[in-house]
């Protein structure tokens, strides 16, 4: 045996222990160790039973995802070992704790018996990587749970607790105690009762009285609701194989369907994002041993929609939070909106009434900003206006205790200017939450020129505590996300002025899998918010000397068409349903006439996609050149986690590599020639041009 997988004697019980920290992933070394340990158990007839156990904080939390990129990848050794475990003539049990995910659950399913700590979480999350369980999870799980639950668990990738797993037939018993003690006691009990082997593969899939068209309907739903995800279709087919074929035939079907997905473009893109998200937490030049500041309480200045949403993140994590507003009416409205959000969650069964009460008890509203003086972190969430934010930051510099972190939730403004306004710039960092802040996963953490290392490290750790995906940005207009969104919206408005409708523009990119196009996105966020951002950027001297720049959004703002909240923006709204509005077409034509922009018909989807997404890629390359983002993957995470960019495309830069950088450069140059490039809108980033010329990939670039 090895240090990673060992086989030790506990009386007449063999204990196989996996020790591959931090999560006991099924690396090639672990798989080889399992194979050797099972062979050793087979050879030693003095053992009466085998117990599978993992050291550390978890059982096995999945496979080695890196290995999926190996052209020679094969699950044959692991799957063969699982078959040998199941075929053993002496009882085999697994003791489960922590997270039992993916290949870890498939390993447990091959055992004859399973006991778990009550806090254990179990699941098959492979669909989140664009694949399906490839080690007989699609074949063994339905034999234990039935088809409906197995398909739900595999297709959603969700985890369930130990009690739900016991009720479903996945886990036999639950007991408190250390995993080894629980496992040994469980096996001794099995032996005392004379319990023998119990092979899942020999079970029939339970007859649940499924409708005759159950799988046809499931496949139709996968093909329509999840049309961009081949994994959804293949998962249905794999579970259908379990229900309709022999185990051996189902095994062959699963292997074929898994391999189709492993090499698919969609899975490669989603695996890229999996690793990019983990890389984003690693900050170059930041010492691992930097001491963190303690954050036991949080203060938020501004209890509007954004401030209230931010507060919910901390209450959800059990952190006492103070909300400060200027008027009692505004404070009551903010606290009422928070309570309403929690009550909606409770009505949907996501929270209990007790949890709602517990979270509301952590929130304290006040009109006195002196209450912020005891907080460890204070976030300003007032309107996006530089003069107002400077005044607020100056006040926070006076009110906050020494050593407290002061954060600004600005989405575009200069964090360094705001940091100087506090008089203590070392304590200042940007924390740009995305709306709705209690829902959206992304947090842009803006590292100012003077931000202290421990402030940055503390906020990155805190982001994990409140369930956010944090990406570090340097200081520039709009940081990573909104800076790129600006060129995206710029071209959307030029297209409108040239004659394309909002639904044409949105439809072109939504056909690629975008959650929503630029017009729907800004209508939802608020055209007033977007217009004020442009206006503030103009005050800072950042706009190009182009009177037609974002002319439509500014005119919409003047007319009070703020989007969904006023019933009219780029679209007119029938309830929440967006409908093309002739008034938008009239406004766009008026702006085109005012700025000498020629109108035309027949603007096609291909042109729309190129003009929206290729400048987005170009701006991302500039952001890398300038050191605003550390890595290409950081940009992809910002856009998939914050802007609805399709994960099956891997983010804008990953997608650009698939399309070919040379082709993108050629089309940027083409649009520059045909539309004119007086303001540099189509000037190709030197980095993008260089990579395209050399046949290299953006995703592989490193500073």
């Amino acid at each position: 045996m090895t240090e990673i997988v060992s086989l030790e004697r506990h009386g007449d019980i063999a204990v196989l222990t996996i020790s591959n920290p931090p999560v006991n992933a099924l690396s090639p070394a672990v798989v080889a160790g399992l194979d050797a340990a099972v062979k050793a158990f087979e050879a030693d007839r003095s053992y009466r039973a085998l117990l599978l156990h993992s050291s550390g904080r978890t059982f096995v939390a999945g496979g080695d995802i890196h290995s999926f990129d190996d052209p020679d990848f094969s699950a044959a050794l692991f799957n063969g070992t699982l078959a040998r475990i199941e075929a053993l003539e002496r009882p085999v049990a697994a003791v489960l704790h922590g997270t039992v995910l993916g290949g870890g659950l498939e390993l447990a399913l091959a055992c004859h018996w399973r006991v778990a700590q009550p806090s254990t979480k179990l699941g098959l999350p492979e669909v989140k990587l664009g694949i399906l369980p490839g080690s007989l999870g699609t074949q063994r799980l339905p034999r234990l749970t039935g088809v409906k639950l197995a398909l739900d668990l595999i297709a959603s990738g969700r985890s369930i607790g130990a009690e739900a797993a016991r009720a479903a037939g996945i886990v036999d018993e639950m007991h408190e105690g250390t995993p080894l003690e629980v496992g040994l006691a469980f096996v001794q009990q099995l032996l005392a009762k004379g319990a023998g082997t119990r092979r899942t593969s020999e079970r029939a899939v339970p007859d649940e009285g499924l409708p005759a068209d159950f799988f046809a309907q499931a496949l139709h739903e996968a093909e329509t609701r999840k049309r961009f995800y081949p994994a959804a279709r293949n998962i249905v087919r794999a579970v259908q194989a379990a229900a309709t074929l022999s185990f051996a035939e189902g095994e062959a079907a699963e292997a074929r369907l898994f391999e189709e997905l492993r090499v698919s473009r969609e899975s490669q893109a989603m695996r890229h994002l999996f690793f990019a998200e983990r890389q984003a937490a690693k900050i170059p030049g930041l010492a691992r041993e930097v001491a963190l500041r303690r954050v036991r309480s949080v203060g938020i200045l501004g209890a509007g929609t954004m401030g209230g949403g931010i507060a919910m993140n901390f209450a959800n994590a059990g952190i006492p939070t103070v909300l400060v507003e200027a008027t009692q009416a505004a404070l009551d409205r903010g606290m009422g909106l928070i309570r309403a959000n929690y009550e909606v969650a409770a009505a949907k069964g996501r929270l209990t009434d007790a949890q709602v009460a517990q979270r509301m008890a952590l929130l304290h509203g006040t009109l006195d900003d002196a209450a912020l003086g005891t907080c460890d972190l204070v976030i300003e969430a007032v309107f996006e206006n530089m003069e107002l934010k400077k005044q607020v930051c100056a006040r926070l510099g006076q009110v906050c205790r020494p050593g407290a972190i002061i954060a600004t939730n600005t989405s575009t403004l200069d964090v360094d200017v705001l940091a100087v306004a506090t008089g203590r710039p070392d304590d200042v960092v940007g924390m740009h939450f995305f709306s709705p802040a209690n829902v959206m996963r992304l947090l842009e953490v803006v590292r100012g020129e003077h931000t202290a290392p421990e402030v940055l490290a503390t906020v990155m750790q805190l982001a994990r505590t409140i369930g956010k995906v944090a990406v570090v940005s340097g200081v520039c207009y709009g940081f990573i996300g909104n800076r790129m969104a600006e060129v995206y919206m710029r071209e959307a408005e030029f297209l409108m002025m040239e004659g394309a409708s909002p639904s044409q523009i949105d439809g072109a990119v939504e056909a690629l899998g975008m959650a929503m196009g630029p017009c729907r996105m800004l209508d939802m966020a608020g055209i007033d918010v977007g217009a004020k951002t442009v206006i503030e950027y103009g005050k800072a001297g950042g706009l190009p000397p182009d009177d037609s720049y974002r002319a439509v959004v500014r005119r919409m703002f003047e007319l009070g068409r703020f989007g969904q909240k006023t019933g009219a923006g780029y679209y007119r709204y029938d309830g929440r349903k967006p409908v093309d509005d002739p008034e938008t077409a009239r406004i766009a034509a008026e702006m085109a006439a005012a700025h000498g922009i020629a109108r035309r018909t027949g603007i096609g989807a291909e042109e729309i996609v190129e003009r929206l997404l290729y400048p987005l890629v170009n701006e991302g390359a500039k952001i890398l050149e300038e050191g605003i983002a550390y890595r290409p993957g950081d940009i992809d995470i910002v856009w998939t986690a914050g802007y609805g960019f399709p994960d099956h495309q891997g983010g804008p830069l990953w997608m650009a590599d698939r399309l070919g950088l040379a082709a993108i450069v050629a089309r940027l140059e083409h649009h520059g020639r045909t539309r004119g490039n007086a303001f540099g809108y189509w000037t190709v980033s030197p980095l993008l041009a260089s990579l395209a010329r050399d046949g290299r990939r953006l995703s592989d670039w490193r500073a």
Side-chain angles (χ1 to χ4, degrees), residues 146-157:
V147 164
K148 286 184 179 178
L149 181 56
L151 183 57
D152 170 47
L153 291 174
I154 299 169
S156 68

Side-chain angles (χ1 to χ4, degrees), residues 21 57 77 200-201 288 319 341 370 376 395 399 402 419 484 507 512 572 624 646:
R57 57 187 170 89
L77 178 60
T200 303
S201 65
R288 293 185 65 178
I319 300 173
N341 284 336
D376 301 313
R395 176 63 179 161
V399 171
M484 291 172 68
L512 298 177
R572 177 174 54 81
L624 292 173

Side-chain angles (χ1 to χ4, degrees), residues 347-646:
K348 294 179 178 178
R350 295 173 186 163
L351 294 175
T352 64
D353 290 341
Q355 287 173 317
V356 172
Q358 179 186 46
R359 294 177 190 195
M360 288 302 300
L362 290 166
L363 299 170
H364 171 64
T366 179
L367 304 181
D368 185 2
D369 66 5
L372 302 173
T374 59
C375 297
D376 301 313
L377 165 68
V378 177
I379 303 170
E380 70 78 16
V382 301
F383 293 118
E384 191 78 348
N385 176 283
M386 177 59 90
E387 290 308 312
L388 174 61
K389 285 188 181 283
K390 283 169 67 176
Q391 293 172 21
V392 165
C393 286
R395 176 63 179 161
L396 293 180
Q398 298 168 353
V399 171
C400 294
R401 67 166 182 79
I405 297 172
I406 300 174
T408 171
N409 181 52
T410 180
S411 57
T412 59
L413 300 177
D414 191 325
V415 170
D416 288 331
V417 170
L418 298 177
V420 169
T422 67
R424 40 197 283 192
D426 288 7
D427 292 333
V428 177
V429 67
M431 291 181 71
H432 177 210
F433 289 82
F434 285 70
S435 185
N438 55 304
V439 175
M440 296 296 286
R441 294 175 64 233
L442 181 64
L443 176 66
E444 271 187 318
V445 177
V446 186
R447 183 178 194 170
E449 181 182 1
H450 300 289
T451 301
E454 70 272 15
V455 168
L456 182 65
T458 299
V459 169
M460 291 297 287
Q461 179 61 44
L462 185 62
R464 294 179 62 186
T465 301
I466 62 174
K468 298 298 184 188
V469 177
V471 174
V472 174
S473 171
V475 175
C476 67
Y477 169 79
F479 319 125
I480 296 171
N482 279 342
R483 173 171 163 180
M484 291 172 68
E486 189 63 30
V487 301
Y488 183 61
M489 292 306 306
R490 176 196 79 204
E491 286 308 306
E493 291 202 6
F494 279 134
L495 283 160
M496 261 186 274
M497 287 189 277
E498 290 170 39
S501 69
S503 61
Q504 278 181 283
I505 294 166
D506 287 349
V509 291
E510 288 169 8
L512 298 177
M514 287 289 287
M516 60 179 66
C519 304
R520 285 179 60 206
M521 180 178 74
L522 195 55
D523 267 2
M524 188 179 73
I527 278 183
D528 53 332
V529 175
K532 287 175 182 177
T533 295
V534 174
I535 292 165
E536 285 296 311
Y537 193 29
K539 289 178 182 177
L543 293 182
D546 176 6
D547 291 341
S548 67
Y549 184 87
R550 302 297 304 277
V552 177
V553 77
R554 290 192 272 190
R555 183 61 178 149
M556 293 276 190
F557 178 55
E558 291 168 2
L559 295 171
R561 294 172 64 95
F562 296 168
Q564 204 174 87
K565 59 190 169 188
T566 60
Y570 292 119
Y571 293 96
R572 177 174 54 81
Y573 285 86
D574 181 5
R576 286 184 170 270
K577 182 182 177 182
V579 180
D580 272 331
D581 189 350
E583 181 63 10
T584 298
R586 188 198 65 76
I587 293 167
E590 175 190 310
M591 293 297 98
H595 298 292
I597 294 173
R599 301 275 288 175
R600 58 195 175 97
T601 58
I603 298 174
E606 185 177 358
E607 178 185 346
I608 293 170
V609 167
E610 288 181 359
R611 287 179 56 182
L612 291 182
L613 298 187
Y614 291 9
L616 194 72
V617 171
N618 195 42
E619 198 67 25
K622 292 177 183 177
I623 284 170
L624 292 173
E625 283 175 331
E626 296 168 19
I628 299 301
Y630 290 124
R631 292 162 286 251
D634 291 1
I635 294 174
D636 287 335
I637 290 296
V638 166
W639 270 79
T640 51
Y643 292 84
F645 201 94

Side-chain angles (χ1 to χ4, degrees), residues 67-214:
S67 65
F68 293 160
D69 290 328
D70 185 343
D72 298 323
F73 171 83
S74 172
L77 178 60
F78 182 56
N79 293 359
T81 301
L82 299 188
R84 290 223 323 281
I85 288 172
E86 193 178 52
L88 289 169
E89 296 176 355
R90 290 164 283 174
V92 183
V95 56
L96 311 177
H97 72 292
T99 51
V100 185
L101 302 176
L105 181 53
E106 290 175 301
L107 173 61
L109 294 178
C111 297
H112 305 141
W113 305 90
R114 289 162 291 278
V115 62
Q117 287 184 333
S119 59
T120 306
K121 299 290 184 183
L122 306 91
L124 293 170
E126 286 86 350
V127 68
K128 297 176 182 179
L129 296 174
I131 54 176
L132 54 72
S135 293
L136 288 304
T138 68
Q139 303 305 298
R140 288 193 173 99
L141 188 63
R143 287 171 160 79
L144 296 175
T145 66
V147 164
K148 286 184 179 178
L149 181 56
L151 183 57
D152 170 47
L153 291 174
I154 299 169
S156 68
R158 67 184 178 92
S159 297
I160 58 174
E163 176 56 42
R166 188 196 61 75
I170 302 170
V171 167
D172 298 299
E173 291 184 15
M174 296 186 305
H175 295 289
E176 292 282 6
T178 67
L180 185 57
E181 290 171 348
V182 167
L184 287 171
F186 179 68
V187 173
Q188 287 163 354
Q189 181 184 5
L190 290 175
L191 293 173
K193 292 190 301 185
T197 60
R198 199 182 51 165
R199 299 182 180 97
T200 303
S201 65
E202 295 176 355
R203 294 189 182 193
V205 175
D207 180 5
E208 302 169 280
L210 294 174
D213 64 347
F214 175 81

Side-chain angles (χ1 to χ4, degrees), residues 10-38:
H10 286 257
D12 52 7
I13 300 171
V15 176
L16 186 160
T17 300
I18 300 170
S19 182
N20 186 31
V23 296
N24 294 317
L26 293 166
S27 67
V30 169
V31 172
L34 281 169
D35 182 61
V38 172

